[in-house]
Amino acid sequence: MSQPRMLSDKWTAVVLYGLSKGPVRHGELIDLIGGISRKMLTQTLRRLQAHGLIRRHAYAEVPPRVEYELTPLGATLIDPIHMLTKWARANGDAVLDALDALDADPEPVAHSD
């Protein structure tokens, strides 16, 4: 998966943000994120790890314990994710209004330039 496409994945930003406060276990991420299946979280974590954005640390303990954390590269994405979240909160209603307007009048409007 190419870098731009990987970053636009539905769960990528949510998982990265979930790891922004420090190391987290798989089950804790499930609870923190909500709405993501274990399988999807595992796939997302593996993809982020392959891209060098997170690190997986397996502890030699019984029972086994695995934690995930951001790498320095992954941490560089937290500010942009926060900015996008802030933008979405500020402009979400306007986007929904535009979608409602499109649903009400699906014919494209010709613009003369």
Side-chain angles (χ1 to χ4, degrees), residues 34-100:
I36 188 171
S37 69
R38 290 187 174 279
K39 180 181 177 182
M40 181 55 65
L41 178 58
T42 298
Q43 290 173 348
T44 302
L45 289 168
R46 286 181 182 159
R47 191 168 48 255
L48 293 172
Q49 184 179 8
H51 283 87
L53 300 176
I54 67 167
R55 174 179 309 117
R56 179 184 186 271
H57 184 78
Y59 294 88
E61 298 175 351
V62 176
R65 178 169 58 112
V66 176
E67 291 182 336
Y68 298 88
E69 65 182 332
L70 295 174
T71 62
L73 180 61
T76 65
L77 291 168
I78 297 307
D79 283 342
I81 289 169
H82 178 71
M83 291 170 59
L84 285 170
T85 302
K86 191 173 176 181
W87 180 90
R89 286 186 182 136
N91 297 290
D93 288 339
V95 171
L96 292 175
D97 289 346
L99 288 171
D100 287 344

